[in-house]
Amino acid sequence: WFKDKDGAYDKNNEYYILALGRHNKILQPEDNIKVELFKSSPTKQVFDLIRFRNRLKEITNEFKPEYIYSSFIYLLSIVPKGNCKVVGFLRDITAEMAKSKGGIRKIAGNIFYILDYLAFKKIDILLYNSPYLKNYALKLGFKGELVFAPRDVVDKEFFDNDNPQEVLKKYNLTNKKVILTVARLTKEKNIEMGIKAMKYLPEDYVYLIIGEGQEEKNLKTLAKPLKVDDRIIFVGFVKHKDLWKFYKVADVFWLLSKTEAFPNVLLESWFAKVPVVVSNIPQLSAIIKDEITGIILKSWNEKELAEITLNLISNDSLYKTLQHGGYEEYKKYSKLSKKVINFFNGEVNG
């Protein structure tokens, strides 16, 4: 992610990556990169931040880095005072992701708001990839340099070489209408809405779900009483470079999340010319041009989702409009893409 998606790597620099993980471990993936995993867990990481900060302080005192970078903004709240430049990439809002899971995580979400607020006071350059995220940063009082830096599609060089015949044969998709979702199987991704919508779609509609997560068992259980389990395929984990064959067999992409920022799958769908149907949340409605680059749902009603999908498939003019509009939107964002390393080198200004 650091090297390929964020583009934060230069072979001529030295890097020390401190990451929250499930084990204490030191890795050396490249000669000029050392990775230290700092033992924590998703439920404990807020409480581990003090220990994490102490370790970060030791590292900065030893190596005296020219910059500190993180794509998890809340972690920059613990950056010690120093002469280095602090660069952050605001790609999503951790607080909203935590709160969307419900229960006690709502409390944790409020803590992450505080951490983001403290982080914004320490960041010199903030990269963001969505208008919604820019407004969030300004609302919490960010005063530094703001740079719009959408990511480009990763692994697009594999697109032309990916043959969809393997997927068509393996999952028996010939002469089927294929709906695709690529996401973590968690509550905030709202995949259950898609599963419920399948009962309103014809027998030749199939729902491909790519991803892993804690909700997988619940989602599979949900499909059985609805009698749609034979038309829902849980593919599991797929290497990113191998995703294109699934996009190529898809007729429609569903993005039904309750919270997002600027999801990579949206750019990927536009690039692959697969029309998207998205949930009506501020993060997505700020990006999607309704009936031009995608279709925005008006409600959380699965029957509406099914009706919109049926209309899209049967409306050739609308379908082609979304294919063209999405691809043109992808090209626009691709041209605006900037590598993080260029901000470290002073080659790019906001």
Side-chain angles (χ1 to χ4, degrees):
W1 191 290
F2 174 76
K3 291 177 66 176
D4 299 329
K5 291 190 178 182
D6 283 353
Y9 176 77
D10 185 325
K11 65 180 181 181
N12 297 314
N13 291 341
E14 298 290 329
Y15 299 94
Y16 197 103
I17 299 176
L18 181 64
L20 288 165
R22 295 186 181 275
H23 307 280
N24 289 322
K25 198 171 183 179
I26 299 292
L27 307 172
Q28 189 86 35
E30 308 278 353
D31 290 341
N32 61 335
I33 299 178
K34 181 175 283 189
V35 179
E36 177 180 343
L37 300 182
F38 187 91
K39 188 175 181 179
S40 185
S41 70
T43 55
K44 286 180 56 186
Q45 60 182 271
V46 171
F47 304 102
D48 288 334
L49 281 181
I50 294 176
R51 292 193 304 115
F52 192 73
R53 181 188 185 280
N54 291 338
R55 180 60 187 136
L56 178 60
K57 189 174 182 179
E58 291 173 354
I59 292 170
T60 54
N61 285 339
E62 179 179 355
F63 293 101
K64 294 179 173 52
E66 295 177 32
Y67 59 84
I68 293 178
Y69 167 72
S70 177
S71 55
F72 295 93
I73 297 302
Y74 72 93
L75 289 177
L76 294 175
S77 65
I78 62 171
V79 171
K81 291 182 179 179
N83 296 321
C84 63
K85 183 169 285 189
V86 179
V87 181
F89 198 145
L90 182 59
R91 67 184 188 198
D92 51 38
I93 300 174
T94 306
E96 291 185 355
M97 294 175 64
K99 292 180 74 172
S100 69
K101 295 179 181 179
I104 196 170
R105 291 181 182 271
K106 288 185 177 180
I107 298 174
N110 290 326
I111 295 174
F112 281 117
Y113 281 127
I114 296 171
L115 294 175
D116 281 356
Y117 170 78
L118 296 174
F120 287 142
K121 290 184 173 297
K122 298 184 177 185
I123 297 172
D124 298 296
I125 301 176
L126 180 64
L127 284 62
Y128 68 96
N129 61 5
S130 161
Y132 182 83
L133 296 177
K134 176 182 179 180
N135 292 337
Y136 173 73
L138 293 174
K139 185 177 179 181
L140 289 190
F142 180 70
K143 303 292 186 184
E145 183 179 357
L146 273 165
V147 181
F148 182 56
R151 288 194 179 99
D152 198 356
V153 170
V154 178
D155 294 328
K156 61 185 179 183
E157 65 272 19
F158 296 99
F159 182 81
D160 290 335
N161 297 327
D162 252 351
N163 189 340
Q165 293 303 316
E166 174 192 339
V167 173
L168 288 171
K169 184 177 180 180
K170 181 176 181 179
Y171 299 106
N172 191 26
L173 300 177
T174 304
N175 299 322
K176 301 287 178 66
K177 301 298 183 186
V178 180
I179 300 164
L180 177 65
T181 288
V182 181
R184 297 186 307 275
L185 306 188
T186 56
K187 284 188 177 296
E188 69 268 21
K189 296 302 180 181
N190 196 29
I191 295 169
E192 64 182 76
M193 181 182 177
I195 292 175
K196 291 177 180 178
M198 287 298 293
K199 67 182 179 181
Y200 299 108
L201 290 170
E203 290 294 316
D204 62 338
Y205 277 67
V206 177
Y207 188 19
L208 279 182
I209 302 170
I210 296 178
E212 298 175 315
Q214 59 197 40
E215 285 296 300
E216 182 173 349
K217 183 178 179 180
N218 292 337
L219 293 171
K220 289 180 177 178
T221 301
L222 173 65
K224 289 183 178 180
L226 296 174
K227 298 181 179 179
V228 297
D229 52 305
D230 61 329
R231 295 189 290 125
I232 296 176
I233 301 171
F234 290 87
V235 178
F237 171 77
V238 174
K239 289 182 179 179
H240 192 274
K241 68 181 182 68
D242 296 325
L243 281 176
W244 297 123
K245 58 176 69 81
F246 292 92
Y247 279 103
K248 286 180 176 179
V249 303
D251 295 285
V252 177
F253 192 96
W254 281 350
L255 180 57
L256 309 174
S257 306
K258 295 179 179 178
T259 180
E260 280 288 354
F262 197 132
N264 294 327
V265 292
L266 182 56
L267 281 173
E268 290 167 1
S269 298
W270 283 344
F271 174 76
K273 297 184 179 179
V274 181
V276 296
V277 178
V278 306
S279 54
N280 190 4
I281 57 176
Q283 300 96 311
L284 294 177
S285 59
I287 300 169
I288 294 289
K289 299 170 185 174
D290 197 27
E291 298 194 1
I292 298 175
T293 63
I295 295 180
I296 303 172
L297 295 170
K298 295 180 175 60
S299 70
W300 296 102
N301 187 296
E302 53 265 16
K303 193 170 184 179
E304 181 208 357
L305 173 59
E307 290 173 351
I308 281 177
T309 302
L310 280 169
N311 177 62
L312 175 57
I313 293 292
S314 62
N315 189 331
D316 189 56
S317 175
L318 176 60
Y319 194 90
K320 288 180 178 178
T321 295
L322 296 188
Q323 284 185 308
H324 175 75
Y327 188 71
E328 290 301 310
E329 199 75 351
Y330 152 72
K331 289 196 295 184
K332 181 184 78 174
Y333 282 106
S334 178
K335 290 177 182 178
L336 294 171
S337 178
K338 303 178 181 72
K339 289 186 176 181
V340 172
I341 189 64
N342 293 334
F343 292 91
F344 303 151
N345 297 336
E347 297 174 9
V348 176
N349 295 315

